Amino acid sequence: MARRLARDIVWGLAAVGLISLLIGGVLALWPIGNLAILYIPGVLWLGATCGRRGAIIASVAAFLVYDWFFVPPFHTLDVEQSQEWLELGFFLVVALV
């Protein structure tokens, strides 16, 4: 049981890390809008391969990582515009579902 939990955590965080690197690379080349949607295929893959626990871990991690690195003001869990809270909230709900 503990081994499966550790595996789910590792896979969830690894998927979020790789997708975050992809988002950072895309944003460095083209200043495109909300790329949080790119986390959804990773969360779906984890749900299909690791089950619910891996997908939930990845969903919450993606929410926090995206807010920390890609939503101004950067490197905080705060947002400048109130609409971004709504967007982040919808992202988390969709990823969890």
Side-chain angles (χ1 to χ4, degrees):
M1 181 76 167
R3 186 172 266 188
R4 284 193 62 194
L5 176 61
R7 183 198 68 178
D8 292 348
I9 291 171
V10 168
W11 277 108
L13 296 179
V16 169
L18 289 173
I19 295 168
S20 297
L21 289 173
L22 173 69
I23 290 172
V26 169
L27 289 175
L29 298 174
W30 305 288
I32 299 174
N34 191 347
L35 291 176
I37 196 76
L38 294 179
Y39 288 110
I40 299 297
V43 170
L44 290 173
W45 175 76
L46 284 166
T49 57
C50 293
R52 183 180 314 152
R53 193 171 33 203
I56 289 171
I57 291 166
S59 299
V60 173
F63 171 82
L64 294 171
V65 167
Y66 191 79
D67 187 18
W68 185 265
F69 288 108
F70 303 113
V71 176
F74 303 111
H75 307 294
T76 68
L77 293 178
D78 196 12
V79 295
E80 286 181 353
Q81 300 174 1
S82 59
Q83 78 177 31
E84 291 172 351
W85 278 118
L86 186 62
E87 292 171 4
L88 285 168
F90 278 130
F91 164 76
L92 183 60
V93 168
V94 168
L96 288 172
V97 169

